[in-house]
Amino acid sequence: MARTLQRSHPLQSYESAFAALPEGISVKAEPYLSMTDLRLPEDVDGPLGKALPREPGGWVSTADGLIVWLGPDEWLVLSGSRGPGELEADLRDLARPNQGSAVDVSAQRISLRVRGRHARDLLSGGCSIDLHPSVFQNGRSAQTTLGLTGVVLLALGADGDDFRILVRSSFAGYLAEWLVDAATEYR
Amino acid sequence: MQLIHCPWCGPREEVEFHYGGQAHIAYPEYPSALSDESWAHYVFFRDNTKGEFAERWSHSSGCRRWFNAVRDTRTYTFLKTYKIGEVAQ
Ligand SMILES: [Zn+2]
């Protein structure tokens, strides 16, 4: 009989550890998102150019996901409804006339949502970015290190208690361990 | 820890960066016309400045862009950073 590979999430086994986190900290592995790395010339204009966050460390939400600034000519486009191939094809059509490129990187990272009144203190323990809501609020992002792994950190909301972390799938287990361990002091 | 000012991301910790050697070394206009010795000089020979030194750095854990910096090699102080294509002010 043929055996079919079951699709699984790298953080499936951490569900119970996340559920047992102290009050004031919530960590949830988010469902898979399609992600495409978009490269375009810095001076790209038109509807596509206007839709992109141009300020370093910015992100904007779109109809079905978000777009994160990764560099002066590079963006990460995430979609919750379009499949990886579809998203890549859509963006490739937009990128081609602008001498750009679009590459599917959906398998590269997974998304974690960290919330709660201790969320900022928790992340600050392993991250040198100033996460205070006066400078890092909804619409701001940072590519940096958290613990010993590289992450894309997104601020949601205006109160500094809601973050999304994009981390490489192969480092997700490490980061989950780090978060659970760092949370013990808030027990 | 020393902070390095990425021209795009702003001040970040030193560990996020990667060193890329001396800056502003022009690629030879006609590499095929160079003697082996001149080619070796282009590829391997670098200044060993004591004092202000223009260097290439990459923000490898952040935006992953290359940029230039002027650093004092005696004190490790970064005097300025600027984008590729710009001139140090
Ligand atoms: Zn940078």
Side-chain angles (χ1 to χ4, degrees), chain A residues 66-88:
Chain A
L66 46 137
I67 306 177
V68 186
W69 183 96
L70 291 186
D73 57 357
E74 185 176 13
W75 292 268
L76 185 68
V77 183
L78 298 90
S79 168
S81 59
R82 281 177 282 176
E86 194 187 349
L87 181 66
E88 185 193 46

Side-chain angles (χ1 to χ4, degrees), chain A residues 86-149:
Chain A
E86 194 187 349
L87 181 66
E88 185 193 46
D90 285 355
L91 291 167
R92 189 165 284 171
D93 289 344
L94 293 169
R96 195 176 283 133
N98 294 298
Q99 280 79 51
S101 73
V103 178
D104 172 41
V105 292
S106 304
Q108 188 184 4
R109 301 183 178 95
I110 59 131
S111 174
L112 275 172
R113 187 81 174 263
V114 180
R115 278 193 264 200
R117 63 191 162 86
H118 293 311
R120 179 157 63 92
D121 289 339
L122 174 79
L123 298 180
S124 298
C127 172
S128 62
I129 300 286
D130 185 358
L131 301 178
H132 192 273
S134 62
V135 287
F136 197 73
Q137 75 289 84
N138 202 20
R140 299 299 304 158
S141 73
Q143 300 168 81
T144 185
T145 50
L146 177 57
L148 294 173
T149 181

Side-chain angles (χ1 to χ4, degrees), chain A residues 131-175:
Chain A
L131 301 178
H132 192 273
S134 62
V135 287
F136 197 73
Q137 75 289 84
N138 202 20
R140 299 299 304 158
S141 73
Q143 300 168 81
T144 185
T145 50
L146 177 57
L148 294 173
T149 181
V151 294
V152 182
L153 192 60
L154 309 177
L156 291 85
D159 304 321
D161 58 1
D162 195 350
F163 302 91
R164 177 174 280 148
I165 304 172
L166 304 174
V167 62
R168 290 184 211 289
S169 309
S170 50
F171 283 87
Y174 161 78
L175 187 63

Side-chain angles (χ1 to χ4, degrees), chain A residues 39 42 56 69-74 128-129 141-145, chain B residues 3 7-9 11-13 15-16 59 61-65 83:
Chain A
R39 302 292 301 260
E42 279 182 60
W69 183 96
L70 291 186
D73 57 357
E74 185 176 13
S128 62
I129 300 286
S141 73
Q143 300 168 81
T144 185
T145 50
Chain B
L3 297 176
W8 286 278
C9 306
R12 294 292 186 91
E13 282 194 332
V15 289
E16 294 193 4
H59 189 193
S61 299
C63 63
R64 310 198 321 286
R65 301 303 124 163
K83 292 175 187 173

